[in-house]
Amino acid sequence: MLVMASVFAFAQQSLWGGQKIISPEIHPDNTVTFRFFAPKAVQVQVTGDFLPPRQVESQYGKIDVSGVADLKEGENGIWEYTTPNPLASELYNYTFIVDGLKNIIDLNNVYVSRDVASLFNIFLVKGGRGDLYSVNKVPHGSITKCWYSSPSLGYDRRMTIYTPAGYENSGKRYPVLYLLHGMGGDEEAWITLGRTIQIMDNLIAEGKAKPMIVVMPNGNVDQEAAPGESSWGLYKPQTDKLPRTMEGSMEASFPDIVKYVESNYRVIKKKSSRAIAGLSMGGYHSLHISKQYPDMFDYVGLFSAAIIANDKADSPIYQDFEGKLARQFEHAPKLYWMAIGKTDFLYKSNQEYRKLLDRHQYKYVYRESEGGHIWRNWRLYLSEFVPQLFE
Amino acid sequence: MLVMASVFAFAQQSLWGGQKIISPEIHPDNTVTFRFFAPKAVQVQVTGDFLPPRQVESQYGKIDVSGVADLKEGENGIWEYTTPNPLASELYNYTFIVDGLKNIIDLNNVYVSRDVASLFNIFLVKGGRGDLYSVNKVPHGSITKCWYSSPSLGYDRRMTIYTPAGYENSGKRYPVLYLLHGMGGDEEAWITLGRTIQIMDNLIAEGKAKPMIVVMPNGNVDQEAAPGESSWGLYKPQTDKLPRTMEGSMEASFPDIVKYVESNYRVIKKKSSRAIAGLSMGGYHSLHISKQYPDMFDYVGLFSAAIIANDKADSPIYQDFEGKLARQFEHAPKLYWMAIGKTDFLYKSNQEYRKLLDRHQYKYVYRESEGGHIWRNWRLYLSEFVPQLFE
């Protein structure tokens, strides 16, 4: 029963990739260096949300696109770029552009996220807001990916459920936040791009949020599950695969989700212990679900909500809009929270919705942030919304 | 409350990446085409385990390395390679090599796995063994990532737990398989590279395996959790970060894991309802854990086990090896299953261990496969081992 340890080490070594480069390197002063080994390349660039965005003209007016910075070739074919200034503490994304080839993943950084059909690297700058998105030495909740039966839709569907630290042993019942994703997202989006697990663990550990269950379903009713997790196989994610996103079926089938959660988890089955929030399309869903079932939610969060006139929407869900809203606000939610970025393309439609709420004197809280329709804002909104729940 | 739907569509479009290329394209006859857009490149190649391996000389003798195939440049800068023959049904991996730059991820395939410090794309060829690794229209189990307290090690640690379809509602108690990863792996390895969820869902649905819980802990005692999931942050995974992998601490602290599982899940707390199996380092751990606690497991699986003389191992766990093995086989496990590939670098040490078992007339089942120290074999072994459990 002998094999030379050196042979074992050698065989493992071959699995290790081999590059000894560190990238990104976050320096003590929070400047960051990116490195890429490409001895034959003529140009290597980096792009991501850590760079100031560029404004470009489009047929729809000025829009923000990610900035681009040039790396310089150094010794041994290793290209390098260091940010001129320290970065604010945040979770950032980036990819390289090598001789015009876009979306090249950093070979020295295994941490990637997917947004619809694209992958990009991520990194965390600590010392501020980024600490909230980090895994810290605090009690950790559990995350479960399970399947629930949806009789309304006719098949089983996958969802993601966060239970707070101590859930397993406490014997207690918990309030529930239902947290919905945007178009192109799925039941994975909030825990990957949204850092929900870390935000919840950290806020609860700091005593800033009540221990609660967070339920993250899939808002695309034609999908059983996220790309790669369903019987559709390992297909290329595309919008046109999802014809039914904002036409009432998600809202109509939502009680199936609540039923599963309330049958299988120790939850408090009361309006005062239920919250719903969503980003973009998920904000649209949250708006319509909360008014369709006016006795269900005492807390509503609309994050950059896609409050749009939907010409496909002949569903009964969308009919009698103002009448249903009136019924919802007869016993008004304890918190109706709207947040949007100043440069969000949905800014105007959100202001118009505010006018409607104001006209009827429906009470809500409005939060305006910098920036546009981006995950940085949705993580921010989640971390501000959650401490206000279940007071 | 209006925003033009076209603006919304446009803004979403910008998130979508944009390339209309399909890669890999799996044709009806199971040949596969890979495509890569690189108009300025001089050479584009693909490498992966779907190509016949090349044998190269090394100081340790001949070893297998992945084959490489050239793509041809076609119209519009799109390079292409089609396999000359249909591929056998399997889960495969690949990356591109662009002008010598290795490990380039396919920009049109969002499905990637990580092995230690490298990412690669995956694809599935159906119609045979690959169907077992696919998400099919069958009842699905749940997967939970939770944290358990390890008093032996002094901190909380993360693990992954599969519960079979119906667990939530059945009220029944289930048998448990403890499934351990290899060096460089973690509590994510068996569900990503090993396709454990799909294998279990499919075998149980076909009636080929008993419904059971599968517990996948982290075998690196210095880690709280997988890279990126612990307070170590988003560091670069490296072997030298893990000094304590095969020196007794995993075996000594293992009862903490069993305690958590048996306190928090509805399990049958009997030797006849407990199994342990592991690959490579996890096989080594399984061997030592099962003999250290001879009354714990009636089923033991050693997959390409790293049965090595370990000069670091002055732990009491490794002392009196033959004496402990004798006690284990006094009330011999119902199944002691060893499997290894013919070209595995651990082949010889496994044969020497067989001789030891034979010498003492300890009963075991031996399975020899083609190939070496690779995940394809470990998925195969898992799918053969599981149907033999808890008969």
Side-chain angles (χ1 to χ4, degrees), chain B residues 16-76:
Chain B
W16 246 257
Q19 288 198 13
K20 301 242 163 164
I21 297 164
I22 297 298
S23 177
E25 184 179 357
I26 297 155
H27 302 286
D29 68 350
N30 283 353
T31 58
V32 178
T33 298
F34 301 85
R35 295 189 177 92
F36 195 84
F37 176 71
K40 294 184 194 170
V42 175
Q43 187 184 39
V44 179
Q45 297 168 301
V46 61
T47 182
D49 64 357
F50 69 95
L51 291 164
R54 296 170 298 149
Q55 280 214 325
V56 297
E57 282 295 337
S58 81
Q59 59 183 120
Y60 304 100
K62 282 182 184 165
I63 56 163
D64 282 355
V65 297
S66 283
V68 174
D70 287 305
L71 281 73
K72 277 193 189 148
E73 190 168 11
E75 277 174 35
N76 305 323

Side-chain angles (χ1 to χ4, degrees), chain B residues 226-244:
Chain B
E229 301 291 342
S230 78
S231 61
W232 293 6
L234 305 182
Y235 66 95
K236 184 171 181 173
Q238 279 170 329
T239 33
D240 55 16
K241 286 264 186 187
L242 303 170
R244 292 194 298 157

Side-chain angles (χ1 to χ4, degrees), chain A residues 1 24 46 48 126 157 186 193 240 320:
Chain A
M1 49 178 286
V46 63
K126 309 253 281 184
R157 307 189 70 228
D186 51 56
L193 302 156
D240 54 17
D320 188 25

